[in-house]
Amino acid sequence: GESVGLHLPTLSVQEGDNSIINCAYSNSASDYFIWYKQESGKGPQFIIDIRSNMDKRQGQRVTVLLNKTVKHLSLQIAATQPGDSAVYFCAENRGNRDDKIIFGKGTRLHILP
Amino acid sequence: DGGITQSPKYLFRKEGQNVTLSCEQNLNHDAMYWYRQDPGQGLRLIYYSQIVNDFQKGDIAEGYSVSREKKESFPLTVTSAQKNPTAFYLCASTYPGGYNEQFFGPGTRLTVL
C-alpha cells in the first residue's frame, strides 16, 4: 500500500492473477479520489475515479473500492498483464474547492512471468 | 489531437543558471499545475493556476517562478535559488471546480551539472 517512507512499496504479482493496490487517505473531508498509472519516464495517466457518495466503481479490468469508515481506497486489476507494470498513485481532492489534488507516494506493481 | 505537451524532454543546467520549462495545452482547460517528482517519490505541487493572470504557490514553491499570460501556456522557471533542482518535472491541467481528473504532460527531466 501507500507509504510515507523514502522507498516505494512494491507489489509483485504473477501474470494472469488479480492485483490489489491499497491506499490510505488522511482527510475525511476528501470527496473525490483518483487512481493514476505512471510508467517509467512518463507522466501519470488517469485510470479510474470515484466520488465519496459511492463505494465501488468498475472500469475495464479495474475496480476501485472506497471505504470511508476507515479512509481506505483500493485498486483491483483483473488478470494482470505485463503492460500493467508501473507505479500506481492514489490521489484525493480535499473538497476545499481550490482544485488541489493530493497524491500518495505510489506503489510499484511488478509482474512476474 | 488534444493534449498537453512539455519541452524539452531532457534539460541540463549548470549551477547558478535559471532555466525555463515549457508547458502547453490545447484542451481548453482553465487550471494548470506544476509538480516535482524525485526518484521513488510521489508528486509535490510547486505552483498552480486556476485562471489566466493568476497563480498560487503550492507546497514547494521556493526557488521557482511561473507566469500565466495565456490560457494555453504555464511556463515554470527554475531559478538559481532552488538548491536541489535535479528532478522530473510534470505539468498538468484540468477543468476547475473539483471532481475532474488532471491530465499530465510527458514530463521534463532536469539535471544540474
Side-chain angles (χ1 to χ4, degrees):
Chain A
E2 299 288 325
S3 169
V4 296
L6 293 178
H7 301 287
L8 277 179
T10 298
L11 175 67
S12 295
V13 175
Q14 204 78 36
E15 183 178 347
D17 287 353
N18 297 336
S19 302
I20 300 176
I21 301 170
N22 297 303
C23 175
Y25 64 94
S26 57
N27 193 334
S28 56
S30 293
D31 58 0
Y32 179 57
F33 305 89
I34 310 166
W35 280 101
Y36 286 92
K37 172 186 180 182
Q38 186 179 26
E39 297 176 335
S40 182
K42 298 183 180 180
Q45 295 175 285
F46 170 85
I47 302 174
I48 192 168
D49 60 1
I50 188 168
R51 293 198 187 191
S52 59
N53 60 354
M54 302 172 69
D55 53 20
K56 180 179 180 179
R57 191 166 188 217
Q58 289 183 292
Q60 185 177 11
R61 271 202 316 121
V62 295
T63 301
V64 55
L65 299 178
L66 175 63
N67 185 330
K68 294 182 288 294
T69 302
V70 295
K71 292 187 284 188
H72 183 268
L73 194 67
S74 69
L75 176 70
Q76 300 178 3
I77 304 173
T80 309
Q81 302 169 359
D84 295 327
S85 180
V87 175
Y88 290 81
F89 293 96
C90 67
E92 60 181 300
N93 180 293
R94 300 201 171 190
N96 57 6
R97 303 193 64 77
D98 68 354
D99 298 327
K100 285 195 293 185
I101 292 178
I102 309 301
F103 289 84
K105 298 294 184 186
T107 296
R108 185 178 303 281
L109 179 62
H110 178 59
I111 312 304
L112 301 169
Chain B
D1 289 335
I4 181 166
T5 59
Q6 292 183 242
S7 62
K9 188 168 179 61
Y10 299 96
L11 190 56
F12 298 88
R13 182 196 105 174
K14 291 182 180 179
E15 273 193 56
Q17 289 182 337
N18 292 355
V19 63
T20 297
L21 282 59
S22 169
C23 179
E24 303 280 331
Q25 54 95 4
N26 60 3
L27 300 166
N28 201 32
H29 288 166
D30 288 302
M32 296 185 75
Y33 307 79
W34 274 106
Y35 295 92
R36 171 185 171 133
Q37 186 176 34
D38 292 287
Q41 298 289 305
L43 281 66
R44 292 187 289 170
L45 183 63
I46 305 172
Y47 267 99
Y48 66 107
S49 168
Q50 293 176 283
I51 197 167
V52 174
N53 292 322
D54 186 51
F55 49 82
Q56 288 80 40
K57 292 182 179 180
D59 301 318
I60 55 164
E62 185 176 350
Y64 300 97
S65 66
V66 294
S67 63
R68 187 84 189 277
E69 297 177 0
K70 298 187 299 181
K71 186 176 184 178
E72 301 80 16
S73 179
F74 190 41
L76 173 74
T77 296
V78 184
T79 75
S80 56
Q82 170 51 236
K83 298 305 178 188
N84 186 22
T86 295
F88 189 48
Y89 290 87
L90 287 159
C91 180
S93 68
T94 189
Y95 291 108
Y99 307 114
N100 294 302
E101 75 273 20
Q102 293 184 357
F103 292 78
F104 283 86
T108 292
R109 187 167 300 280
L110 173 64
T111 302
V112 174
L113 303 173

